[in-house]
C-alpha cells in the first residue's frame, strides 16, 4: 500500500508542475492579446481606405489591370495560408488548414491550378508531411508580425499576379487566415484579394457607397501599378495581425482549459492518495490489534 501512495504523490507533483507551466503560458498569451488587438485596430482603417482608393481608381477608368480586371478564362490561382509557428493553441492551425483545403478543392473543381504559399511552421509541416508542393513559405514571426514581414511575404505574390500564366503567373490571389472576432470567437476565413471585387468593395456597412470622382496623373494605369504592391502588402499585414490576435486568444483558451483540467486531476489524485493513506493506516491498526490480541492469548495460555 505504501508503494501505491508514493505513486500518487509523484503524479500529484508532476501534474502540479505542469499546471504551473500552463498557467504561466495562459498569462503570457493574455498579455499579448491586448497588444495584438491594438495593432489590428490600427491597421484596419488603412487597409480599408486603400481598398476604397483602388475601387475609386478602377471605377473611374476603363484600364485593364490585374488589380481589378478578371481574366476571361482563369486557369491558375494562388492561395496564401497563415498558420502558427508554435502549437499549444487548440485547433487554431488545423482549422485554418481545413479552410485552405476546402478553398483548394473548390478552386480545383472550377478547373484552376492552385499554387500554395504558407506562413507558419504548422502549415509547412502539414504540407511537408504529405509531400505536397509549396511554392514559397515563411516562418518565425506569426505571433508578432511586422510590416516588413508582410512585405517580404507579399513580394512573390505581387510578382505572380503581375505575370502571365504562361510565364508562371496567376489569375487570382486568395488568402486564408483566422479572423479575430472576440476573445472567445476566432473564425477561419478565405478571402479573394485579387482581382478586387468592385461590387463588394463599394459597399460600406451593407449599403452602397458613392465614391468621389478623381482625375489621375499621369494615368489610371500608373496609379494602379503604384497601388498594387501597397494594397497586397496592407491586406497581408492586416491578415497577419488578425491571425496573431486569434493565435494568442486560442492559446490562452487552450492553456486555461489545460490548467483547469490539471486542477481537477490533482483533486482526483489527492482523493485517491487520501484513500490509500487511510487504507494503510487501517491495515496498520488492524495488524497492531491482531498482534496485541495474539500476545494476550499467548500470555493467558502460559498462566494456565
Amino acid at each position: 500500500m505504501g508503494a501505491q501512495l508514493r505513486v500518487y504523490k509523484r503524479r500529484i507533483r508532476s501534474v502540479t508542475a505542469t499546471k504551473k507551466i500552463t498557467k504561466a503560458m495562459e498569462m503570457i498569451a493574455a498579455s499579448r492579446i491586448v497588444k495584438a488587438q491594438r495593432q489590428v485596430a490600427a491597421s484596419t482603417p488603412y487597409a480599408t481606405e486603400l481598398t476604397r482608393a483602388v475601387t475609386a481608381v478602377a471605377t473611374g477608368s476603363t484600364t485593364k489591370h490585374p488589380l481589378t480586371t478578371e481574366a476571361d478564362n482563369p486557369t491558375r490561382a494562388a492561395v496564401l495560408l497563415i498558420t502558427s509557428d508554435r502549437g499549444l493553441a487548440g485547433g487554431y492551425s488545423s482549422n485554418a488548414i481545413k479552410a485552405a483545403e476546402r478553398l483548394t478543392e473548390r478552386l480545383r473543381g472550377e478547373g484552376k491550378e492552385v499554387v500554395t504559399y504558407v506562413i507558419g511552421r504548422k502549415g509547412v509541416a502539414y504540407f511537408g508531411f504529405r509531400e505536397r508542393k509549396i511554392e514559397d513559405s515563411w516562418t518565425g514571426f506569426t505571433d508578432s508580425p511586422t510590416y516588413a514581414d508582410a512585405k517580404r511575404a507579399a513580394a512573390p505574390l505581387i510578382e505572380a499576379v503581375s505575370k502571365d500564366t504562361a510565364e508562371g503567373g496567376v489569375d487570382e490571389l486568395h488568402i486564408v487566415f483566422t479572423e479575430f472576432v472576440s476573445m472567445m470567437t476566432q473564425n477561419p476565413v478565405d478571402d479573394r484579394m485579387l482581382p478586387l471585387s468592385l461590387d463588394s468593395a463599394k459597399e460600406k456597412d451593407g449599403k452602397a457607397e458613392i465614391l468621389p470622382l478623381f482625375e489621375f496623373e499621369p494615368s489610371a494605369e500608373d496609379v494602379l501599378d503604384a497601388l498594387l504592391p501597397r494594397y497586397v502588402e496592407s491586406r497581408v499585414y492586416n491578415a497577419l495581425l488578425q491571425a496573431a490576435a486569434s493565435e494568442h486568444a486560442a492559446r490562452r483558451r487552450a492553456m486555461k482549459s489545460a490548467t483547469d483540467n490539471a486542477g481537477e486531476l490533482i483533486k482526483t489524485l489527492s482523493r485517491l492518495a487520501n484513500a490509500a493513506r487511510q487504507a494503510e493506516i487501517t491495515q496498520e491498526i488492524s495488524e497492531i490489534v491482531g498482534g496485541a490480541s495474539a500476545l494476550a492469548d499467548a500470555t493467558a495460555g502460559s498462566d494456565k
Side-chain angles (χ1 to χ4, degrees):
M1 194 63 68
Q4 188 176 6
L5 183 60
R6 285 195 295 272
V7 170
Y8 287 139
K9 289 184 176 180
R10 185 164 58 247
R11 289 194 62 190
I12 290 173
R13 287 195 298 270
S14 176
V15 176
T16 301
T18 302
K19 182 181 177 181
K20 291 180 180 178
I21 295 173
T22 56
K23 183 64 177 179
M25 295 182 68
E26 176 191 347
M27 295 176 65
I28 291 171
S31 66
R32 291 178 175 177
I33 292 175
V34 178
K35 179 182 177 182
Q37 284 181 288
R38 290 174 181 170
Q39 289 179 319
V40 171
S43 69
T44 299
Y46 175 77
T48 301
E49 287 303 316
L50 189 55
T51 302
R52 187 170 178 269
V54 172
T55 305
V57 176
T59 304
S61 69
T62 57
T63 303
K64 290 186 177 182
H65 194 274
L67 192 57
T68 57
T69 305
E70 301 219 17
D72 296 331
N73 184 25
T75 57
R76 299 187 87 223
V79 175
L80 174 63
L81 168 62
I82 300 178
T83 62
S84 66
D85 285 320
R86 298 185 295 124
L88 301 177
Y92 166 76
S93 291
S94 61
N95 290 337
I97 291 172
K98 289 177 183 177
E101 292 285 38
R102 289 193 295 268
L103 173 61
T104 299
E105 184 178 352
R106 176 167 61 83
L107 293 174
R108 286 175 177 166
E110 296 173 357
K112 300 170 186 174
E113 178 187 355
V114 178
V115 183
T116 305
Y117 298 82
V118 180
I119 294 177
R121 291 190 178 92
K122 291 298 179 180
V124 173
Y126 175 86
F127 285 92
F129 179 77
R130 288 157 180 78
E131 297 182 351
R132 292 167 57 180
K133 181 182 177 182
I134 298 176
E135 191 70 18
D136 207 344
S137 63
W138 304 268
T139 60
F141 55 81
T142 59
D143 60 342
S144 182
T146 63
Y147 193 84
D149 298 322
K151 192 172 182 178
R152 182 157 52 93
L157 302 176
I158 297 169
E159 183 180 358
V161 298
S162 302
K163 292 181 180 179
D164 293 332
T165 53
E167 300 174 353
V170 297
D171 299 309
E172 296 177 0
L173 175 57
H174 300 258
I175 185 169
V176 180
F177 64 99
T178 305
E179 181 184 25
F180 181 84
V181 180
S182 67
M183 295 288 287
M184 297 302 297
T185 306
Q186 301 86 43
N187 298 324
V189 297
D190 64 87
D191 189 15
R192 193 182 77 171
M193 287 197 293
L194 295 175
L196 178 64
S197 178
L198 298 182
D199 292 335
S200 61
K202 288 179 185 178
E203 293 183 358
K204 187 175 183 179
D205 298 329
K207 298 180 180 180
E209 181 184 9
I210 300 176
L211 297 173
L213 298 177
F214 293 98
E215 291 185 1
F216 309 111
E217 287 290 343
S219 66
E221 184 176 2
D222 291 333
V223 173
L224 288 172
D225 286 338
L227 288 176
L228 174 60
R230 304 290 180 272
Y231 170 75
V232 176
E233 290 166 6
S234 67
R235 290 292 300 274
V236 172
Y237 182 52
N238 185 258
L240 283 172
L241 294 178
Q242 293 264 7
S246 299
E247 178 184 348
H248 294 316
R251 181 168 290 111
R252 175 187 173 275
R253 191 167 61 252
M255 291 300 98
K256 185 180 186 306
S257 178
T259 302
D260 294 342
N261 291 338
E264 292 297 324
L265 183 57
I266 290 172
K267 290 180 181 178
T268 301
L269 291 173
S270 297
R271 284 194 293 267
L272 292 173
N274 291 335
R277 186 183 300 109
Q278 290 172 0
E280 184 177 355
I281 293 172
T282 301
Q283 182 178 353
E284 290 177 355
I285 293 174
S286 299
E287 291 174 353
I288 292 171
V289 171
S293 177
L295 181 60
D297 291 343
T299 304
S302 63
D303 291 341
K304 292 178 182 179

